[in-house]
Amino acid sequence: MTEPTGGAKGPDELRRQIERTRGELGNTVEELAGKADVKGRALARAADLRDKAGAMTVQLRSSAAQAGHTMQDRAAHVGPRPVRTVVQAGMRHPKPVLMAGAAGAVVAVGVVRWRHAHGHR
C-alpha cells in the first residue's frame, strides 16, 4: 500500500499532525468567535473613540488657551495709549467689565423691545 505524499510515516508523526491540526482549528475557532462577538467589538470601538475624543479635547483646550494668551499679549501691546490702558485694566479686573457688558446688553434689549412695542422700527 502506498502512502499519499505528505502523509504520516508512523504513529508518532500522525499524533504530531493531529495536535498541530487541533491547534490550528482552535485558533480558527477563536478568530471566528471574535468576529461573531458584535457587542464586544462595539464596546471596544466605543472605548477607542472615547479615548480619541478625550485626547482631542485636551489638544483643543491647549490650543484655545494658547490662542487666548496670544490675543491677550497682542491686545496689551496694540492700539492708542488710552485704549491700551483700558484693555489692560479690563484684563486685570474682568468682573466689572463683564458686569458693564451685561448691563449694556440689558439696556439694548430693553430699547429694542420698547421700540417694537411702540411701533418704532
Side-chain angles (χ1 to χ4, degrees):
M1 204 172 187
T2 4
E3 293 181 15
T5 310
K9 305 265 187 220
D12 290 335
E13 187 176 341
L14 182 58
R15 284 188 195 95
R16 283 192 299 273
Q17 286 179 353
I18 290 172
E19 287 303 315
R20 186 173 49 245
T21 303
R22 282 183 183 159
E24 291 171 0
L25 183 58
N27 291 340
T28 302
V29 168
E30 284 180 28
E31 286 179 25
L32 290 174
K35 289 180 180 180
D37 183 15
V38 176
K39 183 179 178 181
R41 288 175 38 208
L43 290 173
R45 178 76 173 140
D48 185 42
L49 290 174
R50 224 178 358 261
D51 291 345
K52 286 181 182 178
M56 187 173 288
T57 299
V58 169
Q59 184 179 4
L60 288 174
R61 283 183 179 165
S62 175
S63 297
Q66 181 63 35
H69 291 302
T70 301
M71 292 309 295
Q72 267 185 335
D73 290 344
R74 286 185 184 172
H77 301 295
V78 175
R81 188 156 183 77
V83 172
R84 191 174 3 181
T85 304
V86 170
V87 168
Q88 287 172 343
M91 287 190 308
R92 279 192 305 273
H93 307 288
K95 199 175 217 178
V97 174
L98 292 175
M99 289 174 62
V106 168
V107 169
V109 168
V111 167
V112 169
R113 291 185 76 183
W114 180 83
R115 289 186 69 184
H116 182 71
H118 291 89
H120 298 20
R121 293 184 188 224

